[in-house]
Amino acid sequence: MRKFSLSTLGPLAALILLIVVGALLNPNFLSAGNITNVLARSAFTGMIAIGMTFVITSGGIDLSVGSMAAFIAGMMILAMNALIPTLGIGVPLVLAGMAVALAVGLAAGFVNGALITRVGIEPFIVTLGTMGIFRSLVTWIADGGTLSLNFDARQFYRPVYYGGLFGIAWPIIVFAVTAVVGEVVMRHTRFGRHIEAIGSNDKVARYSAVNVENTRLMAYVFLGLLVGLATILYVPRLGSASGSTGLLWELEAIAAVIIGGTALKGGYGRVWGTVVGVLILSLIDNILNLADLVSPYLNGAIQGVIIVLAVVLQRGKSTAEGR
């Protein structure tokens, strides 16, 4: 078992420090409404970040997840609007929309994974290309504007985001369940062990009878499926999709994974650390907005700085261990 170290406890300590700072800066920070809002809004990128943990642990990367979410949302809205005359407004329509979202997410993840594992193109190049393709497609379909879900369908669908169980919003519940499942899969299944083995040394993993190509492909398919799941919960929030939907979600997801302690070069991943990383980013954003310390337009810059610092710390740790 891995011993607790500064790299393990660091993200938790940072999270606790942020909670204390937030409470001191604004008395409303710890209110039930604010905490629920932070957790619900972080659920989308959180679920994507969990899938990203598997991809990065295997030695890959996916820059297309934000654009993929926009494309999935657009396809889901188009499908639901088209099915209203047949299915009417009700549960069958919502279930059909959810099925479309999961199917498109799975297909998009498969395309990324197949191009990487079957064609042999570098993950950075593949996902950089599909990032542009997905966002351009949804912008073209919307004719540069916005795709909107039928008003009555949106009203019926709203409880999927705004409703919940025992006072806990559905996005928070689904995020929590996804995190538990992801941690179990990473730590206690053959798939998780193979993911880490491939990221550590794919040649050694291949000699150990690990199907490297199929395992990497499944990592991208799993990520695409989680992007579809996140989109299912996101669409009822606004009831629309456009070329700006999911903007910078890939940055937030990658930042959360790195902050949480997953090795950027692959070989070791922490799903629970990714969850902590997601919460850290969400709390920083929330504190900056509540305290009005800097312009909200600089949040992306702050996240970028955090990514660079996290990578520098990882490299410093690797250098120290190599001595």
Side-chain angles (χ1 to χ4, degrees):
M1 293 180 64
R2 292 178 181 267
K3 296 180 179 180
F4 283 99
S5 61
L6 180 61
S7 63
T8 302
L9 298 177
L12 286 173
L15 179 62
I16 294 171
L17 179 61
L18 280 173
I19 293 173
V20 173
V21 170
L24 291 175
L25 289 175
N26 193 306
N28 294 322
F29 176 76
L30 291 178
S31 66
N34 185 59
I35 295 300
T36 298
N37 181 56
V38 169
L39 292 176
R41 295 187 68 176
S42 65
F44 311 125
T45 53
M47 284 181 276
I48 294 172
I50 289 170
M52 187 72 75
T53 303
F54 284 82
V55 168
I56 290 180
T57 301
S58 72
I61 194 76
D62 194 335
L63 303 176
S64 71
V65 290
S67 302
M68 188 188 299
F71 179 66
I72 293 171
M75 294 298 97
M76 183 180 183
I77 288 171
L78 285 178
M80 291 180 71
N81 286 342
L83 289 171
I84 288 175
T86 304
L87 300 179
I89 306 296
V91 174
L93 179 69
V94 172
L95 292 178
M98 290 179 176
V100 169
L102 293 176
V104 174
L106 189 150
F110 180 84
V111 168
N112 280 342
L115 288 172
I116 292 165
T117 61
R118 304 302 191 238
V119 182
I121 308 174
E122 288 296 319
F124 180 86
I125 300 301
V126 169
T127 58
L128 182 64
T130 54
M131 176 178 69
I133 292 170
F134 291 141
R135 198 166 294 282
S136 294
L137 283 175
V138 73
T139 303
W140 171 65
I141 294 169
D143 197 22
T146 301
L147 295 169
S148 297
L149 185 61
N150 174 276
F151 179 79
D152 292 331
R154 182 191 170 192
Q155 291 301 111
F156 186 84
Y157 194 10
R158 277 172 61 88
V160 172
Y161 176 79
Y162 292 98
L165 190 64
F166 304 119
I168 304 174
W170 285 118
I172 301 174
I173 294 172
V174 176
F175 179 30
V177 172
T178 304
V180 171
V181 172
E183 179 66 20
V184 170
V185 171
M186 181 67 80
R187 297 270 74 84
H188 302 290
T189 68
R190 180 181 298 178
F191 176 69
R193 291 192 295 272
H194 287 179
I195 285 288
E196 290 195 331
I198 291 169
S200 181
N201 192 317
D202 60 347
K203 292 182 180 179
V204 173
R206 202 182 302 275
Y207 290 141
S208 301
V210 174
N211 192 321
V212 174
E213 285 73 23
N214 282 353
T215 303
R216 277 183 172 155
L217 176 61
M218 289 307 299
Y220 282 94
V221 170
F222 181 55
L223 174 55
L225 204 59
L226 288 184
V227 175
L229 182 61
T231 306
I232 285 172
L233 297 168
Y234 179 80
V235 167
R237 178 170 174 257
L238 299 176
S240 63
S242 67
S244 62
T245 298
L247 197 63
L248 296 182
W249 280 12
E250 59 280 345
L251 178 64
E252 294 177 24
I254 294 170
V257 172
I258 297 172
I259 292 169
T262 293
L264 184 59
K265 64 180 181 180
Y268 176 60
R270 286 200 305 233
V271 172
W272 71 264
T274 295
V275 173
V276 172
V278 168
L279 296 178
I280 287 174
L281 290 175
S282 297
L283 288 180
I284 289 174
D285 185 51
N286 185 245
I287 290 170
L288 291 176
N289 289 335
L290 289 177
D292 197 24
L293 295 174
V294 298
S295 169
Y297 298 116
L298 290 175
N299 288 352
I302 293 171
Q303 290 171 353
V305 170
I306 291 173
I307 290 178
V308 173
L309 289 176
V311 173
V312 169
L313 290 174
Q314 279 194 9
R315 291 186 64 183
K317 176 188 171 186
S318 299
T319 301
E321 289 176 348
R323 290 176 180 173

